[in-house]
Amino acid sequence: MDKDYPIVDLSLAVSSVRFFTDTLFEVKLTSPTPLPKIHTGQFVQVQVPGRSDVFLRRPISIYKHGEYELSLLIQVVGKGTAGLAEAKPGDHWQVLLPLGNHFREPSGQKPLLVGGGVGIAPLLELGNHLKAKGIPPTFLLGARSSTLFPELDEFESLGRLFITTEDDSRGELGYVTDHSILHSEAFTDVYTCGPTPMMKAVAKWSKAEGLPCQASLENLMACGMGVCLCCVEPTVAGHKSVCTDGPIFDVNELLW
Ligand SMILES: Cc1cc2nc3c(=O)[nH]c(=O)nc-3n(C[C@H](O)[C@H](O)[C@H](O)COP(=O)(O)OP(=O)(O)OC[C@H]3O[C@@H](n4cnc5c(N)ncnc54)[C@H](O)[C@@H]3O)c2cc1C
Ligand code: FES
């Protein structure tokens, strides 16, 4: 991918924090100057403020962005994300951005965007991008329970929305790959982000259907800049750094 934009380390002001569950929240960050150009699917590395026991920055997808503002959707899983959850309006976060490659354009007019858990975050921006290009996205989102989905109306405003839940609280029962839409409609492209087992199942279905599929990987990272090699993923062309060669890969490149 052409690196036609700079990577910058900015001090961004927390303008709002909104919790959807005890452990899932959206934080809005604002910049006094225009943000660098951000491509759909890119991520940031956030320094966890006020936590001397969390040295490394944490990679987080860009959930929404404008010229001066971006927002992140964060699930607390450990001490870094727990530190981020302590954010208050007026705080400042040190954020490295924009990082990684971006989603490639679809080959056809009927893309399917499949997300699970907090992996739905980069799919909202992608849906926005596709809608703006006149290509209506179809979302298929899965979660353990309907209470764990944030802002479904935002997804619904961009295209059709289909849901699966493991407790049958909304949509169809089961995993995303169980949804009847996969058998009743034809799609041209598949994009996926979420837990690795889910993405592998989506990749397997896409390959069986002969559909191009792009997956956004969430490997553990440290530097986020292609230096430490702790995020490498084996591919048909050898090991690749998810932070710089990815996070988005054509699933045919992966040894899944
Ligand atoms: C490109 C990219 C985009 C991401 N986007 C988001 C996002 O939009 N929102 C969000 O909430 N999270 C996202 N993540 C995951 C997020 O970076 C991790 O959850 C976070 O770094 C964990 O830090 P921690 O200190 O809270 O947890 P740790 O204390 O480091 O780990 C706690 C537990 O979570 C596991 N864990 C840590 N990182 C990951 C990971 N990447 N995948 C699976 N398990 C992990 C650890 O193995 C451990 O079991 C993204 C990761 C990548 C690489
Ligand atoms: S995180 Fe260091 S090389 Fe990718």
Side-chain angles (χ1 to χ4, degrees), residues 45 220-232 241-244:
Q45 283 266 75
L220 292 175
M221 290 186 182
C223 72
M225 306 276 286
V227 179
C228 69
L229 302 183
C230 85
C231 64
V232 289
S241 296
V242 172
C243 64
T244 48

Side-chain angles (χ1 to χ4, degrees), residues 60-95:
I60 304 289
S61 301
I62 295 166
Y63 180 43
K64 303 170 190 166
H65 84 274
E67 199 180 351
Y68 291 87
E69 187 176 73
L70 62 83
S71 97
L72 309 176
L73 182 67
I74 302 178
Q75 177 70 58
V76 176
V77 296
K79 60 186 177 183
T81 44
L84 296 177
E86 287 168 19
K88 301 275 177 302
D91 290 352
H92 281 77
W93 284 9
Q94 204 62 34
V95 182

Side-chain angles (χ1 to χ4, degrees), residues 152-172:
L152 287 180
D153 52 325
E154 296 249 6
F155 291 86
E156 246 164 349
S157 71
L158 298 174
R160 294 185 309 152
L161 173 64
F162 298 91
I163 298 283
T164 59
T165 49
E166 291 170 43
D167 66 357
D168 208 14
S169 51
R170 181 159 173 177
E172 294 189 13

Side-chain angles (χ1 to χ4, degrees), residues 115-120 142 192-202 216 218 256:
V118 79
I120 68 174
T192 187
C193 186
T196 304
M198 183 209 83
M199 289 198 288
K200 285 186 174 174
V202 172
S216 183
E218 293 196 348
W256 283 5

Side-chain angles (χ1 to χ4, degrees), residues 82-140:
L84 296 177
E86 287 168 19
K88 301 275 177 302
D91 290 352
H92 281 77
W93 284 9
Q94 204 62 34
V95 182
L96 197 62
L97 81 160
L99 299 172
N101 65 356
H102 57 79
F103 289 113
R104 290 176 299 284
E105 299 298 331
S107 63
Q109 294 293 311
K110 200 169 171 194
L112 177 67
L113 283 53
V114 188
V118 79
I120 68 174
L123 300 184
L124 187 68
E125 281 274 291
L126 176 61
N128 245 315
H129 172 78
L130 293 170
K131 189 181 179 196
K133 293 193 74 116
I135 303 173
T138 300
F139 295 101
L140 173 54

